[in-house]
Amino acid sequence: MRLQEALDGRWAHVRQAARDRLAGGRFVAVPGETIGQARARVTRLLRELPADLCAAGFPAEYGGAGDAGAAVVAVEMLGFLDLSLMIKAGVQWGLFGGAVAALGTRRHHDSFLKDIVSGDLLGCFAMTETGHGSDVHRLQTVCEYDPDTESFDLHTPYEAARKDYIGNAAQDGRLAVVFAQLVTGGRGHGVHAFLVPIRGADGEPLPGVTIGDDGHKAGLLGVDNGRLSFDHVRVHRDMLLDRYGGVALDGTYSSPIDDDARRFFTMLGTLVRGRVAVGGAASSATKEALTIAVRYGETRRQFTAPGRDREVVLNDYLAHQRKLTIALATTYAFTFAQDELVATLHEVQSAAEPVDEHRQRELESRAAALKAAQTWHATRTIQTCREACGGAGYLAANRLPGLKADTDVFTTFEGDNTVLLQLVAKGLLTGYRDSFGSLDGWGRTAFVAEQVREMVLERTAARSLIHRLIDAAPGGGDERAFTDRGWQLAMLEDRERHVLDGVIRRLRKNSATRERPFDVFNDVQDHALKAATAHTDRVVLEGFVAGIERSADPAAHALLSRVCDLYALSRIEADKGWFLEHERLTPARAKALTGIVNGLLKELRPQMTTLVDAFGIPDEWLASAILREEPRRQEEMASGS
Amino acid sequence: MRLQEALDGRWAHVRQAARDRLAGGRFVAVPGETIGQARARVTRLLRELPADLCAAGFPAEYGGAGDAGAAVVAVEMLGFLDLSLMIKAGVQWGLFGGAVAALGTRRHHDSFLKDIVSGDLLGCFAMTETGHGSDVHRLQTVCEYDPDTESFDLHTPYEAARKDYIGNAAQDGRLAVVFAQLVTGGRGHGVHAFLVPIRGADGEPLPGVTIGDDGHKAGLLGVDNGRLSFDHVRVHRDMLLDRYGGVALDGTYSSPIDDDARRFFTMLGTLVRGRVAVGGAASSATKEALTIAVRYGETRRQFTAPGRDREVVLNDYLAHQRKLTIALATTYAFTFAQDELVATLHEVQSAAEPVDEHRQRELESRAAALKAAQTWHATRTIQTCREACGGAGYLAANRLPGLKADTDVFTTFEGDNTVLLQLVAKGLLTGYRDSFGSLDGWGRTAFVAEQVREMVLERTAARSLIHRLIDAAPGGGDERAFTDRGWQLAMLEDRERHVLDGVIRRLRKNSATRERPFDVFNDVQDHALKAATAHTDRVVLEGFVAGIERSADPAAHALLSRVCDLYALSRIEADKGWFLEHERLTPARAKALTGIVNGLLKELRPQMTTLVDAFGIPDEWLASAILREEPRRQEEMASGS
């Protein structure tokens, strides 16, 4: 069965190259290191990674492969090996190098990209400040142009404005892309990015630069996160990354985009790749945890049962299947949705001409939705896998503690998930129009017109296929089988539309009745977040459906189809309160749904290991002691008793 | 308002003594230590703890205070300081010392308890094996009596039978309570406990004893978990802890309890204190995390809003309240339920005569239910608090990573939560009768009679109060207000009864129709677990209601009453699918419920910090850098802008 081929998707060749070229245990995380050991090892390994694979996003002339999609997929693959190394590579090539490439112009590229790609010049992406992480529009670092010296003055006015949590800052970075409020001629032009040397060749901070260390973290010990403060540091005029805004010698500001906020969000939009990569790497860690828990659950036995000679293997228990198989199905769904997202990213970022704004906004919204969904799924699922392995799951040698601790921050970095879902909701409400303002209480959303939602609800890939499936069978909900794909799609689409209608209705009403403008939005915040998750569920299911359609192998197609049933129906089951409340399910049908899900779990029981094997994670990458030890122990016990 | 007094409950004096006697930062967890540093510090501090407080459970003649309840509460208080220290104390005085006290007889007490209480003799509780953690009935270590040498031969037949995850084993323990299958005259008598010296005065393992180290774990680095194997180790006859079964010189076995399984579960029952303490300590960690997140959320600002001069504080966002205030209300509920559980434990274990079996079984069931509920709540809530603090929540200096990593194993040790909930379900099904068999596919449950459930559904503390509340208002569900306590209680009681009825009906049907006996139970496993959680919700709500009744201060009483509304209604909201499916809520009423919960959140918004202050955690114990730093930074920003 060609299941792995279906999962490997469009960049299968990159995945296979990673399996081959990063084979063995050399790049695999090492449990129990001190922070010093972890940082030293990861810094060393970063330079040993094949740049043409891991930095594939850069143009070939600078050492890359000019393949944006491949770059994201390579980072996803590093997620199987060592999440510190993945983040370190992501900081160097994705955030730092990516910002130089996307926000800089030819002279920056020619001066720096080659050394960035080769790893000879390590750098930082210094956006987040201690006081502002989510609302980056309001960063407090100031960079003011002085026409007399023809240079900028970069300054941190108070502690809350220092750059914080910056990867590569505490130990390795020599150059930083620093985001700061650009001021010239006494006037602010919003946030811009500057290339700022922070360390000399001796590794010491340069004059005026103060570097702090974020110290011990929950995980990612191999990443040297730190803090940067600037005391009136002089920055050469050439070091403004000026693709979206430049300052002439006399201090005159010019930009192809007039509005400050709109310009900044356009700049941010070019950096979407990091968010896409984090979602994908979160799913890599999830796949690794599931592979460990499912394989362990296939050998580990506990409790006797009548009619069984030996104790029962954990995977035979319904409660275990409820934990692991549903998480597996969800992970499959995300894999296909992520593959589609990477393809969209690749298409947008490889286009000769800038793509239209609608397409760019759609990419950002999908990236936000899938990043939030995949990272929360990782946090929950790795936790579940840890628990499913009992005490063994708590030992560092069995890998799960590292996966959990390292991915934990994924839910709040590269965009806090709750904030990201708000952005998704805002996009849904405004139909991607007029979405460049800050999250200013959503006051403007009250003016949203009905018709813009048509655009939002546009179906994803394989639009005609999904259209056909939904319209395939006549009749209402109760006449269609639970496993009718069209019914599943229609349920999720209908929920999204209905929730969105409700949010709009309430916002309109609130605008007229609430005394405090803040309450207009805040009163419906939970409802708006629900719109975003309902939207995400629908997009993910459509991605899964389209992915199955691409699978040519009949056996793989059939199995994927059952997994897709489990994904769709478990999502509906998880929110059956909503479907009942809105009379989309009758009580009798809602009760029956639980039986259908349990039936699917039973049907998929023999396929649990097949499903994790198809993730294609080399044994040496798994590096979990129990996978070697438990089968031997069970044999000893069986023969010894 | 005397809110803290209500929360401190019956053992308020113990809580206050802990605050006074363990004041300052001396016993507080230290982030970023190596495993060696952590172990050395915790071992040193263990000996510095006041034994009369922390080992209060032992008789005064051995240095304790003869107060079982105080012992549990003291361990809960250690949970605020350092979870490694709490576990280390729990292993020494709760598990190891507790087993000597409960399973040994006078000669064991006189020989060992004084040194155990003082900390001069450190020891292990060696029950769990690599191959059997949940099903301890089937431990594989063997201890066979040899009448010729008048001693036992203790042996580990294969690796799966080695003792594993044993606290105090890797470094400190000199003596171990080892659980093993007792064999005499060629016949097995089930699992018994033996006192076995494992290390000499020089710290080296004794002959025949192999000691391994579990190494790096996700957390609890200060606890030296290890492995013990025995190669035909000779154990003196006197070292059998023989309260429940003895071996005469000639090898004749005698016991006050005939049935092996029943005897073993009686022995286990005496050890329930550890499970109660773990649930309580999990809630301590939860309270600490909530205190940090709520106080941070009260000063931290992010995003502007129309009509607001400054950026909005996080606690003002509905989504933040949804995360934190509901978790707070649940934590309040558990506090009162735990206080009641400790009182029951105290009463049962302090009784001059053995209490009746029903009371003992009820204690075990409640302990299992509340341990599972509180530890899962801790895992979820600490995660939520970490995310609510963003990047700052990921830094070790802000405490949350340690709380998360240390408590992570609580959901699977001292009884795996899923297995515990099965025990609760089994107890519900059999009405605590006939519950001594192993979890053998639950074959026997099919014979359960209807009437036994009457006993199970007996109301908890303040039975007459709850009876009165439920019967207070006439009319069906739809006529009663959401905040009518009687309606809330009736909803949870009705759900428990109905789910249980369903499980029994399905088990009966399955017994008649399923070909494979294993499927009889396994098919309804999820349904049985739901019965257990429905039961837990009901017991917890009743405990909360009874606790409020005890509060004499009108202001505290009124606030607690609103918090209780939030707890009850958020539980109903979380499971509204069930209530709709079973037509206990109409769709209109279910929709209204969300508005009611949001209204409660808004009403309680000004009380968020009051609610965490009442946990009474000294500032020096919180040891979270952001609580000091964030207010200062916000001031700087406000004055600097």
Side-chain angles (χ1 to χ4, degrees):
Chain A
M1 186 171 14
R2 286 152 62 189
L3 200 56
Q4 185 182 321
E5 186 181 299
L7 285 172
D8 274 1
R10 177 162 163 187
W11 279 270
H13 56 288
V14 176
R15 295 184 201 277
Q16 198 50 50
R19 290 183 189 110
D20 295 339
R21 296 177 63 187
L22 308 173
R26 183 171 155 221
F27 293 99
V28 175
V30 177
E33 290 177 316
T34 64
I35 191 167
Q37 291 166 338
R39 285 181 177 183
R41 180 180 54 78
V42 168
T43 298
R44 176 174 55 77
L45 289 176
L46 178 69
R47 297 174 202 268
E48 294 178 17
L49 286 173
D52 61 315
L53 181 69
C54 300
F58 295 93
E61 60 185 301
Y62 302 120
D67 188 334
V72 171
V73 169
V75 170
E76 273 184 32
M77 294 305 286
L78 291 181
F80 290 123
L81 288 156
D82 181 339
L83 292 152
S84 282
L85 186 60
M86 172 255 151
I87 293 293
K88 192 91 172 168
V91 166
Q92 172 67 14
W93 293 313
L95 295 175
F96 168 60
V100 174
L103 306 181
T105 46
R106 190 79 200 181
R107 70 173 185 282
H108 304 112
H109 299 171
D110 288 345
S111 302
F112 301 110
L113 284 186
K114 198 149 174 286
D115 287 345
I116 289 174
V117 172
S118 69
D120 289 322
L121 177 61
L122 298 185
C124 308
F125 180 82
M127 179 183 282
T128 297
E129 296 176 356
T130 303
H132 288 90
S134 292
D135 190 4
V136 285
H137 186 53
R138 288 181 42 101
L139 294 176
Q140 305 288 300
T141 302
V142 179
C143 203
E144 180 161 11
Y145 184 69
D146 174 9
D148 294 338
T149 60
E150 294 178 2
S151 66
F152 293 97
D153 176 78
L154 179 68
H155 189 63
T156 305
Y158 32 71
E159 190 179 287
R162 72 180 175 195
K163 300 296 175 182
D164 206 349
Y165 318 112
I166 309 300
N168 262 351
Q171 179 183 286
D172 290 331
R174 282 175 44 215
L175 200 59
V177 172
V178 177
F179 289 81
Q181 301 287 349
L182 168 62
V183 177
T184 172
R187 208 190 126 199
H189 296 278
V191 176
H192 287 66
F194 303 84
L195 264 176
V196 184
I198 57 168
R199 272 193 182 82
D202 59 355
E204 291 303 307
L206 291 172
V209 179
T210 302
I211 301 183
D213 195 321
D214 281 316
H216 228 277
K217 308 186 296 288
L220 296 176
L221 291 195
V223 183
D224 55 322
N225 295 89
R227 295 160 176 156
L228 300 173
S229 301
F230 305 96
D231 182 14
H232 295 290
V233 170
R234 184 168 294 187
V235 177
H236 195 280
R237 199 178 68 90
D238 277 354
M239 298 294 255
L240 169 65
L241 295 175
D242 58 352
R243 178 168 165 199
Y244 292 102
V247 175
L249 268 179
D250 67 353
T252 307
Y253 180 80
S254 63
S255 167
I257 304 173
D258 284 338
D259 183 72
D260 287 354
R262 185 187 170 92
R263 182 188 320 113
F264 181 51
F265 285 103
T266 302
M267 289 165 61
L268 285 185
T270 63
L271 306 173
V272 68
R273 204 186 290 177
R275 201 164 277 168
V276 176
V278 163
S283 280
S284 296
T286 308
K287 289 170 185 174
E288 197 143 34
L290 281 167
T291 303
I292 294 168
V294 167
R295 289 197 188 158
Y296 179 70
E298 196 71 22
T299 49
R300 175 76 174 183
R301 293 166 182 275
Q302 205 77 176
F303 294 114
T304 51
R308 296 240 174 172
D309 292 342
R310 297 180 63 185
E311 290 164 277
V312 180
V313 294
L314 299 189
N315 285 349
D316 279 352
Y317 289 106
L318 174 61
H320 218 67
Q321 296 159 22
R322 276 250 161 213
K323 290 175 192 169
L324 298 181
T325 316
I326 291 176
L328 253 175
T330 308
T331 308
Y332 264 64
F334 287 143
T335 300
F336 290 104
Q338 171 78 7
D339 198 50
E340 189 176 305
L341 176 65
V342 173
T344 305
L345 170 87
H346 185 79
E347 183 201 313
V348 167
Q349 299 202 336
S350 307
E353 296 296 307
V355 296
D356 73 277
E357 196 174 296
H358 172 198
R359 191 95 178 108
Q360 173 68 29
R361 292 289 91 73
E362 186 182 76
L363 167 63
E364 289 168 29
S365 170
R366 294 275 151 83
L370 271 172
K371 185 273 183 181
Q374 289 184 95
T375 56
W376 266 329
H377 177 62
T379 291
R380 272 192 303 266
T381 302
I382 298 170
Q383 181 73 37
T384 299
C385 291
R386 196 304 281 162
E387 295 180 20
C389 294
Y394 197 64
L395 301 187
N398 295 327
R399 193 74 191 270
L400 294 163
L403 294 174
K404 179 70 184 65
D406 288 344
T407 54
D408 194 330
V409 77
F410 286 25
T411 54
T412 55
F413 80 175
E414 280 286 339
D416 175 272
N417 281 0
T418 301
V419 175
L420 290 180
L421 287 188
Q422 283 194 181
L423 287 170
V424 172
K426 196 176 180 188
L428 293 176
L429 290 166
T430 60
Y432 308 113
R433 280 193 326 185
D434 192 26
S435 59
F436 291 101
S438 67
L439 277 171
D440 51 0
W442 293 50
R444 276 177 291 174
T445 50
F447 308 113
V448 168
E450 285 284 340
Q451 69 274 16
V452 296
R453 283 176 304 116
E454 292 309 311
M455 174 159 54
V456 177
L457 288 168
E458 250 176 33
R459 287 161 186 160
T460 54
R463 289 175 174 78
S464 62
L465 164 70
I466 285 154
H467 193 266
R468 182 159 48 77
L469 287 168
I470 289 186
D471 297 338
D478 263 28
E479 294 164 41
R480 298 176 75 165
F482 285 113
T483 51
D484 176 338
R485 187 78 68 229
W487 178 79
Q488 297 163 358
L489 288 159
M491 287 287 277
L492 295 195
E493 185 175 304
D494 172 54
R495 180 181 54 162
E496 178 183 348
R497 180 181 293 119
H498 191 89
V499 172
L500 206 47
D501 279 340
V503 175
I504 290 171
R505 200 172 47 245
R506 288 181 61 199
L507 282 172
R508 285 222 172 95
K509 192 173 150 219
N510 276 1
S511 301
T513 58
R514 292 288 171 212
E515 282 180 26
R516 304 190 307 171
F518 174 68
D519 292 338
V520 172
F521 165 67
N522 199 47
D523 279 359
V524 299
Q525 193 185 17
D526 59 334
H527 205 157
L529 293 173
K530 184 168 181 70
T533 53
H535 170 74
T536 309
D537 281 351
R538 195 260 302 172
V539 167
V540 171
L541 179 59
E542 292 188 4
F544 200 164
V545 171
I548 293 174
E549 195 65 12
R550 285 193 299 273
S551 166
D553 177 56
H557 195 287
L559 179 54
L560 286 171
S561 189
R562 299 314 273 162
V563 174
C564 186
D565 283 337
L566 180 59
Y567 168 70
L569 296 178
S570 65
R571 293 314 303 152
I572 294 170
E573 188 191 31
D575 199 24
K576 69 180 175 185
W578 189 91
F579 290 101
L580 281 156
E581 198 171 88
H582 294 82
E583 300 179 57
R584 264 63 175 180
L585 279 178
T586 61
R589 203 161 151 90
K591 286 184 196 168
L593 179 57
T594 299
I596 298 286
V597 170
N598 285 351
L600 282 168
L601 293 173
K602 194 175 261 195
E603 189 181 334
L604 288 169
R605 163 68 190 94
Q607 309 290 346
M608 285 173 79
T609 55
T610 304
L611 290 173
V612 296
D613 289 350
F615 292 142
I617 310 172
D619 282 347
E620 278 169 303
W621 291 11
L622 286 170
S624 181
I626 34 170
L627 296 190
R628 295 186 303 275
E629 295 165 1
E630 190 63 26
R632 174 175 53 73
R633 283 192 208 118
Q634 291 291 339
E635 257 181 58
E636 281 176 11
M637 243 195 304
S639 61
S641 64
Chain B
M1 187 173 11
R2 286 150 64 188
L3 199 56
Q4 184 182 323
E5 185 181 300
L7 284 172
D8 274 1
R10 179 162 162 187
W11 277 271
H13 58 290
V14 176
R15 295 184 202 276
Q16 199 48 51
R19 290 183 190 111
D20 295 339
R21 297 177 64 186
L22 307 173
R26 183 171 157 220
F27 293 99
V28 175
V30 177
E33 290 177 316
T34 64
I35 191 167
Q37 291 165 338
R39 284 181 178 182
R41 181 180 54 78
V42 168
T43 299
R44 176 174 56 77
L45 289 176
L46 177 70
R47 296 174 204 267
E48 295 178 18
L49 285 174
D52 60 317
L53 181 68
C54 300
F58 295 94
E61 60 185 302
Y62 302 119
D67 188 334
V72 171
V73 170
V75 170
E76 274 184 31
M77 294 304 286
L78 290 181
F80 289 122
L81 289 156
D82 181 341
L83 292 152
S84 282
L85 186 60
M86 172 255 152
I87 293 293
K88 193 92 173 170
V91 166
Q92 172 67 14
W93 293 315
L95 295 175
F96 167 59
V100 174
L103 306 180
T105 45
R106 188 79 201 181
R107 69 174 187 283
H108 304 112
H109 299 171
D110 288 344
S111 302
F112 300 110
L113 284 187
K114 198 148 174 288
D115 288 345
I116 290 174
V117 171
S118 70
D120 290 321
L121 176 62
L122 298 184
C124 308
F125 180 83
M127 179 183 281
T128 298
E129 295 176 357
T130 303
H132 287 88
S134 291
D135 191 5
V136 285
H137 185 54
R138 289 182 40 102
L139 294 176
Q140 306 288 299
T141 302
V142 179
C143 204
E144 179 160 13
Y145 185 68
D146 174 10
D148 294 340
T149 61
E150 293 179 1
S151 66
F152 292 98
D153 176 79
L154 179 69
H155 189 63
T156 305
Y158 32 70
E159 190 179 286
R162 72 181 175 196
K163 299 298 175 182
D164 206 349
Y165 318 111
I166 309 300
N168 262 351
Q171 179 182 284
D172 291 331
R174 282 174 47 213
L175 199 60
V177 172
V178 177
F179 290 81
Q181 302 287 349
L182 168 62
V183 177
T184 172
R187 209 191 125 198
H189 295 278
V191 175
H192 287 65
F194 303 84
L195 264 176
V196 184
I198 57 168
R199 272 193 182 83
D202 58 356
E204 292 301 307
L206 292 173
V209 179
T210 302
I211 302 182
D213 195 322
D214 280 317
H216 227 277
K217 307 187 297 288
L220 296 177
L221 291 195
V223 183
D224 55 321
N225 295 89
R227 296 161 174 154
L228 300 173
S229 301
F230 305 98
D231 183 13
H232 296 291
V233 170
R234 183 168 294 185
V235 177
H236 195 280
R237 198 179 67 91
D238 277 353
M239 298 293 257
L240 168 65
L241 295 175
D242 57 352
R243 177 168 165 200
Y244 292 102
V247 174
L249 267 180
D250 67 353
T252 306
Y253 180 79
S254 64
S255 166
I257 304 171
D258 285 339
D259 182 73
D260 287 354
R262 185 186 171 92
R263 181 188 319 113
F264 180 51
F265 285 102
T266 301
M267 290 165 62
L268 285 185
T270 64
L271 305 173
V272 69
R273 204 185 292 176
R275 200 164 277 170
V276 175
V278 163
S283 280
S284 296
T286 308
K287 289 170 186 173
E288 198 143 34
L290 281 167
T291 304
I292 294 168
V294 167
R295 290 197 188 158
Y296 179 70
E298 195 72 21
T299 50
R300 175 76 174 182
R301 294 167 182 272
Q302 204 78 172
F303 294 114
T304 51
R308 295 238 175 174
D309 292 341
R310 298 179 62 185
E311 291 165 278
V312 180
V313 294
L314 299 189
N315 285 349
D316 279 351
Y317 289 106
L318 174 61
H320 219 66
Q321 296 159 21
R322 276 253 161 210
K323 289 175 192 169
L324 297 182
T325 316
I326 290 175
L328 253 175
T330 308
T331 309
Y332 265 65
F334 286 144
T335 301
F336 290 104
Q338 172 78 6
D339 197 50
E340 187 176 305
L341 176 65
V342 173
T344 305
L345 170 88
H346 185 79
E347 183 200 313
V348 166
Q349 298 202 337
S350 307
E353 296 295 308
V355 296
D356 72 278
E357 196 174 295
H358 171 197
R359 191 92 178 112
Q360 172 69 29
R361 292 290 89 76
E362 187 181 75
L363 167 63
E364 288 168 29
S365 170
R366 294 274 151 83
L370 271 172
K371 185 271 183 184
Q374 289 185 96
T375 56
W376 266 329
H377 177 63
T379 291
R380 272 191 304 267
T381 303
I382 298 169
Q383 181 73 37
T384 299
C385 291
R386 196 302 282 162
E387 295 180 20
C389 294
Y394 196 63
L395 301 188
N398 295 328
R399 193 75 190 270
L400 294 163
L403 293 174
K404 179 67 184 66
D406 288 344
T407 54
D408 194 331
V409 75
F410 287 23
T411 55
T412 55
F413 81 174
E414 280 286 336
D416 175 272
N417 281 1
T418 302
V419 175
L420 290 180
L421 286 187
Q422 283 195 181
L423 286 170
V424 172
K426 196 176 180 186
L428 293 176
L429 290 165
T430 60
Y432 307 112
R433 278 192 329 186
D434 193 25
S435 60
F436 291 101
S438 66
L439 277 171
D440 51 359
W442 295 49
R444 275 178 290 174
T445 50
F447 308 113
V448 168
E450 287 282 342
Q451 69 273 16
V452 297
R453 283 176 305 117
E454 292 310 310
M455 174 157 54
V456 177
L457 288 168
E458 251 176 32
R459 288 164 185 157
T460 53
R463 288 174 173 79
S464 62
L465 165 69
I466 285 154
H467 193 267
R468 181 160 49 77
L469 288 167
I470 289 186
D471 296 341
D478 262 27
E479 294 165 41
R480 298 177 75 165
F482 285 114
T483 51
D484 176 338
R485 189 78 69 230
W487 178 79
Q488 297 163 358
L489 288 160
M491 287 287 276
L492 296 195
E493 183 174 306
D494 172 55
R495 179 180 55 162
E496 178 183 350
R497 181 183 290 119
H498 191 89
V499 172
L500 207 47
D501 279 341
V503 175
I504 290 171
R505 199 172 50 246
R506 289 180 61 198
L507 282 172
R508 283 219 173 96
K509 191 173 151 224
N510 276 1
S511 301
T513 58
R514 292 287 172 213
E515 281 181 25
R516 304 189 308 172
F518 173 68
D519 292 338
V520 172
F521 165 67
N522 199 47
D523 280 358
V524 299
Q525 192 184 17
D526 58 335
H527 204 156
L529 292 173
K530 184 170 181 66
T533 53
H535 170 73
T536 309
D537 282 350
R538 196 260 302 171
V539 166
V540 170
L541 179 60
E542 293 189 4
F544 201 164
V545 171
I548 294 174
E549 194 65 13
R550 285 195 298 274
S551 166
D553 177 54
H557 195 286
L559 179 55
L560 286 171
S561 190
R562 300 314 273 162
V563 175
C564 187
D565 283 337
L566 181 59
Y567 168 70
L569 296 178
S570 64
R571 293 315 301 152
I572 294 170
E573 188 191 31
D575 198 24
K576 70 180 174 184
W578 189 91
F579 289 102
L580 282 156
E581 195 172 270
H582 294 83
E583 300 179 55
R584 263 62 175 182
L585 279 178
T586 61
R589 204 162 150 89
K591 285 184 198 168
L593 180 57
T594 299
I596 298 286
V597 170
N598 285 353
L600 282 168
L601 293 173
K602 194 174 262 196
E603 188 181 337
L604 288 169
R605 163 67 190 94
Q607 308 290 344
M608 285 173 79
T609 54
T610 305
L611 290 173
V612 296
D613 289 349
F615 292 143
I617 309 173
D619 282 347
E620 277 169 304
W621 291 11
L622 286 170
S624 181
I626 34 170
L627 296 190
R628 295 187 304 274
E629 295 164 2
E630 190 63 25
R632 175 174 52 74
R633 283 192 208 117
Q634 291 291 340
E635 257 179 60
E636 281 175 12
M637 244 194 304
S639 61
S641 64

